[in-house]
Amino acid sequence: MTNFKTCPVCDATVKGRSDKKYCSKKCKSIDQYEQRQKTEGFYIKVDRQLKINRKVLKRFNKSGYTVIRKNELLNEGFNPKFFTHYWKNKKGEVYLFVYEFGFLSKMDKGKEKYILVIWQDYMA
């Protein structure tokens, strides 16, 4: 009794070696292209959100140090889950950075706010 394998792309019967996965070079190429598109799509979404975050932080932090309500940034498309690196100050507060623009979440008088900063040499 032999088990017939089917091609994952077109469901045709795969003939040949026992470890062969695709029925043709065309199907192999199609599958590899689709896998690459899925992976690249994820990176494109992350990059797009990082660019939005940087643009929003840059617009609201013209002086180098700003305090702003969290909702103002969120309404502009800012997503705090996307950042490139972080810096921890001597008080133990962790600033999240999107390239050179950083933010720190704080509660002030019952309202959620962000402290916006620009990367400085001493933070390295």
PDB file of all heavy atoms in Angstrom, residues 101-121:
ATOM      1  N   PHE A 101      12.912  60.033  19.425  1.00  0.00           N
ATOM      2  CA  PHE A 101      11.849  60.631  20.226  1.00  0.00           C
ATOM      3  C   PHE A 101      11.344  59.639  21.265  1.00  0.00           C
ATOM      4  O   PHE A 101      10.924  58.534  20.929  1.00  0.00           O
ATOM      5  CB  PHE A 101      10.696  61.091  19.335  1.00  0.00           C
ATOM      6  CG  PHE A 101      11.106  62.170  18.372  1.00  0.00           C
ATOM      7  CD1 PHE A 101      11.395  61.864  17.056  1.00  0.00           C
ATOM      8  CD2 PHE A 101      11.233  63.478  18.791  1.00  0.00           C
ATOM      9  CE1 PHE A 101      11.793  62.848  16.167  1.00  0.00           C
ATOM     10  CE2 PHE A 101      11.635  64.471  17.922  1.00  0.00           C
ATOM     11  CZ  PHE A 101      11.919  64.160  16.610  1.00  0.00           C
ATOM     12  N   GLY A 102      11.370  60.068  22.540  1.00  0.00           N
ATOM     13  CA  GLY A 102      10.991  59.185  23.630  1.00  0.00           C
ATOM     14  C   GLY A 102       9.732  59.630  24.341  1.00  0.00           C
ATOM     15  O   GLY A 102       9.317  60.787  24.257  1.00  0.00           O
ATOM     16  N   PHE A 103       9.132  58.692  25.099  1.00  0.00           N
ATOM     17  CA  PHE A 103       7.944  59.002  25.875  1.00  0.00           C
ATOM     18  C   PHE A 103       7.926  58.145  27.140  1.00  0.00           C
ATOM     19  O   PHE A 103       8.438  57.040  27.176  1.00  0.00           O
ATOM     20  CB  PHE A 103       6.673  58.788  25.051  1.00  0.00           C
ATOM     21  CG  PHE A 103       6.469  57.383  24.557  1.00  0.00           C
ATOM     22  CD1 PHE A 103       5.629  56.505  25.229  1.00  0.00           C
ATOM     23  CD2 PHE A 103       7.101  56.936  23.412  1.00  0.00           C
ATOM     24  CE1 PHE A 103       5.437  55.210  24.771  1.00  0.00           C
ATOM     25  CE2 PHE A 103       6.915  55.632  22.939  1.00  0.00           C
ATOM     26  CZ  PHE A 103       6.079  54.776  23.631  1.00  0.00           C
ATOM     27  N   LEU A 104       7.340  58.707  28.180  1.00  0.00           N
ATOM     28  CA  LEU A 104       7.202  58.033  29.463  1.00  0.00           C
ATOM     29  C   LEU A 104       5.769  58.211  29.922  1.00  0.00           C
ATOM     30  O   LEU A 104       5.253  59.325  29.964  1.00  0.00           O
ATOM     31  CB  LEU A 104       8.156  58.641  30.497  1.00  0.00           C
ATOM     32  CG  LEU A 104       7.993  58.163  31.943  1.00  0.00           C
ATOM     33  CD1 LEU A 104       8.389  56.705  32.081  1.00  0.00           C
ATOM     34  CD2 LEU A 104       8.797  59.035  32.885  1.00  0.00           C
ATOM     35  N   SER A 105       5.111  57.127  30.254  1.00  0.00           N
ATOM     36  CA  SER A 105       3.729  57.181  30.723  1.00  0.00           C
ATOM     37  C   SER A 105       3.711  57.557  32.204  1.00  0.00           C
ATOM     38  O   SER A 105       4.446  56.994  33.004  1.00  0.00           O
ATOM     39  CB  SER A 105       3.071  55.812  30.513  1.00  0.00           C
ATOM     40  OG  SER A 105       1.723  55.864  30.898  1.00  0.00           O
ATOM     41  N   LYS A 106       2.868  58.522  32.557  1.00  0.00           N
ATOM     42  CA  LYS A 106       2.753  59.004  33.940  1.00  0.00           C
ATOM     43  C   LYS A 106       1.292  59.252  34.279  1.00  0.00           C
ATOM     44  O   LYS A 106       0.502  59.603  33.401  1.00  0.00           O
ATOM     45  CB  LYS A 106       3.482  60.343  34.114  1.00  0.00           C
ATOM     46  CG  LYS A 106       4.954  60.252  34.253  1.00  0.00           C
ATOM     47  CD  LYS A 106       5.298  59.966  35.668  1.00  0.00           C
ATOM     48  CE  LYS A 106       6.788  60.215  35.860  1.00  0.00           C
ATOM     49  NZ  LYS A 106       7.230  60.049  37.175  1.00  0.00           N
ATOM     50  N   MET A 107       0.947  59.115  35.562  1.00  0.00           N
ATOM     51  CA  MET A 107      -0.364  59.522  36.052  1.00  0.00           C
ATOM     52  C   MET A 107      -0.179  60.868  36.736  1.00  0.00           C
ATOM     53  O   MET A 107       0.686  61.024  37.588  1.00  0.00           O
ATOM     54  CB  MET A 107      -0.912  58.500  37.046  1.00  0.00           C
ATOM     55  CG  MET A 107      -1.393  57.213  36.406  1.00  0.00           C
ATOM     56  SD  MET A 107      -2.775  57.434  35.282  1.00  0.00           S
ATOM     57  CE  MET A 107      -4.097  57.757  36.412  1.00  0.00           C
ATOM     58  N   ASP A 108      -0.982  61.858  36.362  1.00  0.00           N
ATOM     59  CA  ASP A 108      -0.896  63.186  36.966  1.00  0.00           C
ATOM     60  C   ASP A 108      -2.311  63.661  37.272  1.00  0.00           C
ATOM     61  O   ASP A 108      -3.109  63.871  36.357  1.00  0.00           O
ATOM     62  CB  ASP A 108      -0.193  64.154  36.006  1.00  0.00           C
ATOM     63  CG  ASP A 108       0.010  65.521  36.605  1.00  0.00           C
ATOM     64  OD1 ASP A 108       0.201  65.610  37.836  1.00  0.00           O
ATOM     65  OD2 ASP A 108      -0.032  66.507  35.834  1.00  0.00           O
ATOM     66  N   LYS A 109      -2.627  63.769  38.555  1.00  0.00           N
ATOM     67  CA  LYS A 109      -3.946  64.202  39.014  1.00  0.00           C
ATOM     68  C   LYS A 109      -5.054  63.340  38.428  1.00  0.00           C
ATOM     69  O   LYS A 109      -6.087  63.829  37.963  1.00  0.00           O
ATOM     70  CB  LYS A 109      -4.165  65.679  38.676  1.00  0.00           C
ATOM     71  CG  LYS A 109      -3.158  66.591  39.341  1.00  0.00           C
ATOM     72  CD  LYS A 109      -3.352  68.020  38.906  1.00  0.00           C
ATOM     73  CE  LYS A 109      -2.221  68.866  39.489  1.00  0.00           C
ATOM     74  NZ  LYS A 109      -2.196  70.209  38.940  1.00  0.00           N
ATOM     75  N   GLY A 110      -4.812  62.032  38.392  1.00  0.00           N
ATOM     76  CA  GLY A 110      -5.811  61.091  37.899  1.00  0.00           C
ATOM     77  C   GLY A 110      -5.928  61.001  36.392  1.00  0.00           C
ATOM     78  O   GLY A 110      -6.805  60.317  35.878  1.00  0.00           O
ATOM     79  N   LYS A 111      -5.070  61.679  35.670  1.00  0.00           N
ATOM     80  CA  LYS A 111      -5.109  61.640  34.205  1.00  0.00           C
ATOM     81  C   LYS A 111      -3.829  61.009  33.678  1.00  0.00           C
ATOM     82  O   LYS A 111      -2.745  61.276  34.176  1.00  0.00           O
ATOM     83  CB  LYS A 111      -5.270  63.045  33.633  1.00  0.00           C
ATOM     84  CG  LYS A 111      -6.573  63.674  34.057  1.00  0.00           C
ATOM     85  CD  LYS A 111      -6.817  64.951  33.325  1.00  0.00           C
ATOM     86  CE  LYS A 111      -8.078  65.556  33.934  1.00  0.00           C
ATOM     87  NZ  LYS A 111      -8.934  66.128  33.001  1.00  0.00           N
ATOM     88  N   GLU A 112      -3.992  60.182  32.653  1.00  0.00           N
ATOM     89  CA  GLU A 112      -2.831  59.555  32.028  1.00  0.00           C
ATOM     90  C   GLU A 112      -2.167  60.555  31.085  1.00  0.00           C
ATOM     91  O   GLU A 112      -2.828  61.141  30.236  1.00  0.00           O
ATOM     92  CB  GLU A 112      -3.246  58.310  31.246  1.00  0.00           C
ATOM     93  CG  GLU A 112      -3.675  57.156  32.123  1.00  0.00           C
ATOM     94  CD  GLU A 112      -3.985  55.936  31.283  1.00  0.00           C
ATOM     95  OE1 GLU A 112      -5.121  55.835  30.813  1.00  0.00           O
ATOM     96  OE2 GLU A 112      -3.082  55.098  31.102  1.00  0.00           O
ATOM     97  N   LYS A 113      -0.875  60.721  31.261  1.00  0.00           N
ATOM     98  CA  LYS A 113      -0.119  61.653  30.427  1.00  0.00           C
ATOM     99  C   LYS A 113       1.171  61.000  29.964  1.00  0.00           C
ATOM    100  O   LYS A 113       1.598  59.986  30.510  1.00  0.00           O
ATOM    101  CB  LYS A 113       0.190  62.929  31.206  1.00  0.00           C
ATOM    102  CG  LYS A 113      -1.049  63.712  31.576  1.00  0.00           C
ATOM    103  CD  LYS A 113      -0.714  65.030  32.195  1.00  0.00           C
ATOM    104  CE  LYS A 113      -2.002  65.800  32.462  1.00  0.00           C
ATOM    105  NZ  LYS A 113      -1.744  67.133  32.964  1.00  0.00           N
ATOM    106  N   TYR A 114       1.763  61.601  28.953  1.00  0.00           N
ATOM    107  CA  TYR A 114       3.073  61.192  28.472  1.00  0.00           C
ATOM    108  C   TYR A 114       4.041  62.352  28.643  1.00  0.00           C
ATOM    109  O   TYR A 114       3.706  63.499  28.354  1.00  0.00           O
ATOM    110  CB  TYR A 114       3.052  60.806  26.992  1.00  0.00           C
ATOM    111  CG  TYR A 114       2.486  59.444  26.696  1.00  0.00           C
ATOM    112  CD1 TYR A 114       1.526  59.271  25.714  1.00  0.00           C
ATOM    113  CD2 TYR A 114       2.922  58.323  27.381  1.00  0.00           C
ATOM    114  CE1 TYR A 114       1.024  58.023  25.420  1.00  0.00           C
ATOM    115  CE2 TYR A 114       2.412  57.068  27.098  1.00  0.00           C
ATOM    116  CZ  TYR A 114       1.462  56.927  26.117  1.00  0.00           C
ATOM    117  OH  TYR A 114       0.957  55.692  25.826  1.00  0.00           O
ATOM    118  N   ILE A 115       5.218  62.031  29.093  1.00  0.00           N
ATOM    119  CA  ILE A 115       6.316  62.985  29.084  1.00  0.00           C
ATOM    120  C   ILE A 115       7.109  62.680  27.820  1.00  0.00           C
ATOM    121  O   ILE A 115       7.572  61.551  27.626  1.00  0.00           O
ATOM    122  CB  ILE A 115       7.211  62.844  30.334  1.00  0.00           C
ATOM    123  CG1 ILE A 115       6.400  63.150  31.585  1.00  0.00           C
ATOM    124  CG2 ILE A 115       8.424  63.754  30.225  1.00  0.00           C
ATOM    125  CD1 ILE A 115       7.145  62.877  32.881  1.00  0.00           C
ATOM    126  N   LEU A 116       7.242  63.668  26.959  1.00  0.00           N
ATOM    127  CA  LEU A 116       7.941  63.488  25.686  1.00  0.00           C
ATOM    128  C   LEU A 116       9.328  64.105  25.785  1.00  0.00           C
ATOM    129  O   LEU A 116       9.484  65.217  26.278  1.00  0.00           O
ATOM    130  CB  LEU A 116       7.158  64.150  24.544  1.00  0.00           C
ATOM    131  CG  LEU A 116       5.690  63.753  24.394  1.00  0.00           C
ATOM    132  CD1 LEU A 116       5.080  64.456  23.194  1.00  0.00           C
ATOM    133  CD2 LEU A 116       5.524  62.259  24.291  1.00  0.00           C
ATOM    134  N   VAL A 117      10.326  63.379  25.315  1.00  0.00           N
ATOM    135  CA  VAL A 117      11.706  63.851  25.339  1.00  0.00           C
ATOM    136  C   VAL A 117      12.386  63.526  24.012  1.00  0.00           C
ATOM    137  O   VAL A 117      11.866  62.760  23.209  1.00  0.00           O
ATOM    138  CB  VAL A 117      12.524  63.211  26.494  1.00  0.00           C
ATOM    139  CG1 VAL A 117      11.949  63.598  27.841  1.00  0.00           C
ATOM    140  CG2 VAL A 117      12.579  61.705  26.358  1.00  0.00           C
ATOM    141  N   ILE A 118      13.549  64.121  23.819  1.00  0.00           N
ATOM    142  CA  ILE A 118      14.391  63.801  22.663  1.00  0.00           C
ATOM    143  C   ILE A 118      15.661  63.150  23.197  1.00  0.00           C
ATOM    144  O   ILE A 118      16.180  63.539  24.240  1.00  0.00           O
ATOM    145  CB  ILE A 118      14.714  65.064  21.836  1.00  0.00           C
ATOM    146  CG1 ILE A 118      13.423  65.607  21.232  1.00  0.00           C
ATOM    147  CG2 ILE A 118      15.723  64.755  20.729  1.00  0.00           C
ATOM    148  CD1 ILE A 118      13.597  66.883  20.440  1.00  0.00           C
ATOM    149  N   TRP A 119      16.166  62.157  22.495  1.00  0.00           N
ATOM    150  CA  TRP A 119      17.364  61.428  22.892  1.00  0.00           C
ATOM    151  C   TRP A 119      18.538  62.384  23.097  1.00  0.00           C
ATOM    152  O   TRP A 119      18.782  63.260  22.270  1.00  0.00           O
ATOM    153  CB  TRP A 119      17.713  60.384  21.834  1.00  0.00           C
ATOM    154  CG  TRP A 119      18.905  59.557  22.190  1.00  0.00           C
ATOM    155  CD1 TRP A 119      20.190  59.732  21.797  1.00  0.00           C
ATOM    156  CD2 TRP A 119      18.911  58.400  23.024  1.00  0.00           C
ATOM    157  NE1 TRP A 119      20.995  58.777  22.327  1.00  0.00           N
ATOM    158  CE2 TRP A 119      20.234  57.941  23.095  1.00  0.00           C
ATOM    159  CE3 TRP A 119      17.934  57.710  23.737  1.00  0.00           C
ATOM    160  CZ2 TRP A 119      20.607  56.823  23.834  1.00  0.00           C
ATOM    161  CZ3 TRP A 119      18.293  56.605  24.471  1.00  0.00           C
ATOM    162  CH2 TRP A 119      19.627  56.164  24.522  1.00  0.00           C
ATOM    163  N   GLN A 120      19.264  62.201  24.198  1.00  0.00           N
ATOM    164  CA  GLN A 120      20.424  63.020  24.516  1.00  0.00           C
ATOM    165  C   GLN A 120      21.660  62.128  24.608  1.00  0.00           C
ATOM    166  O   GLN A 120      21.547  60.938  24.867  1.00  0.00           O
ATOM    167  CB  GLN A 120      20.218  63.739  25.854  1.00  0.00           C
ATOM    168  CG  GLN A 120      18.977  64.608  25.922  1.00  0.00           C
ATOM    169  CD  GLN A 120      19.043  65.786  24.964  1.00  0.00           C
ATOM    170  OE1 GLN A 120      20.075  66.434  24.863  1.00  0.00           O
ATOM    171  NE2 GLN A 120      17.947  66.055  24.282  1.00  0.00           N
ATOM    172  N   ASP A 121      22.832  62.692  24.430  1.00  0.00           N
ATOM    173  CA  ASP A 121      24.078  61.917  24.462  1.00  0.00           C
ATOM    174  C   ASP A 121      24.289  61.190  25.777  1.00  0.00           C
ATOM    175  O   ASP A 121      24.821  60.079  25.800  1.00  0.00           O
ATOM    176  CB  ASP A 121      25.277  62.821  24.179  1.00  0.00           C
ATOM    177  CG  ASP A 121      25.306  63.294  22.734  1.00  0.00           C
ATOM    178  OD1 ASP A 121      24.718  62.612  21.866  1.00  0.00           O
ATOM    179  OD2 ASP A 121      25.915  64.343  22.461  1.00  0.00           O
TER     180      ASP A 121
END
